[in-house]
Amino acid sequence: MHLAYVALGANLDDPVTQVHAAFDALRGLPASRLLRTSSLYRTAPVGYAEQPDFINAVCLIDTTLSAQALLAALHDIEAAFGRERSFRNAPRTLDLDIIDYAHCRHSSDALTLPHPRAHERSFVMLPLAEIAPDYALGSYGTAAGLAERLGGSGIDLFSPPI
């Protein structure tokens, strides 16, 4: 089994419901167990600002799927939720990103591990620090340390974990 941290985000079609339903979909992944979920966080959009706020969270999955198979399964879940990839940072019904997979380093056109921008994003680091404060994300530092450095500007705790 391999531990994988996955970031969730949504800002269309009742994003709170979308994220809760995504947790349920992740519980149904083959050869995997959803171990832990963070609280939900309301986050101002990054990049393209003319869109609704996001609901973000992070979860921990224990899986025998390879990183590439996990990514494919996450894309299938996104598609089932109506995800459309119209342009970078566009509004979305659901976004699922692998933050880290068993501390592996990987780089391809389809997947880079750890996630290349996770350490720069408070909306990823705050929920990750909630469920795994001492988790070291590559050479960038611990989730708690990164969350503290990034701060919480534009991010509000929305709900306790489910």
Side-chain angles (χ1 to χ4, degrees), residues 31-112:
S32 304
R33 277 186 321 142
L34 182 65
L35 299 178
R36 198 173 304 143
T37 62
S38 75
S39 299
L40 304 186
Y41 292 79
R42 185 188 337 259
T43 306
V46 174
Y48 176 63
E50 298 301 316
Q51 60 181 314
D53 286 350
F54 280 83
I55 296 298
N56 292 103
V58 166
C59 67
L60 172 61
I61 297 172
D62 195 12
T63 186
T64 60
L65 297 174
S66 69
Q68 293 78 7
L70 177 60
L71 180 64
L74 296 180
H75 284 170
D76 288 346
I77 292 170
E78 288 177 342
F81 278 68
R83 169 78 189 263
E84 295 179 13
R85 297 176 188 275
S86 54
F87 59 92
R88 185 180 175 106
N89 297 320
R92 60 205 73 151
T93 53
L94 183 63
D95 185 27
L96 300 171
D97 290 321
I98 300 173
I99 300 168
D100 201 22
Y101 177 93
H103 291 293
C104 290
R105 289 191 142 337
H106 178 84
S107 184
S108 69
D109 289 342
L111 178 63
T112 301

Side-chain angles (χ1 to χ4, degrees), residues 147-162:
E148 185 177 336
R149 282 194 293 276
L150 291 168
S153 179
I155 300 174
D156 296 310
L157 181 63
F158 188 75
S159 73
I162 58 170

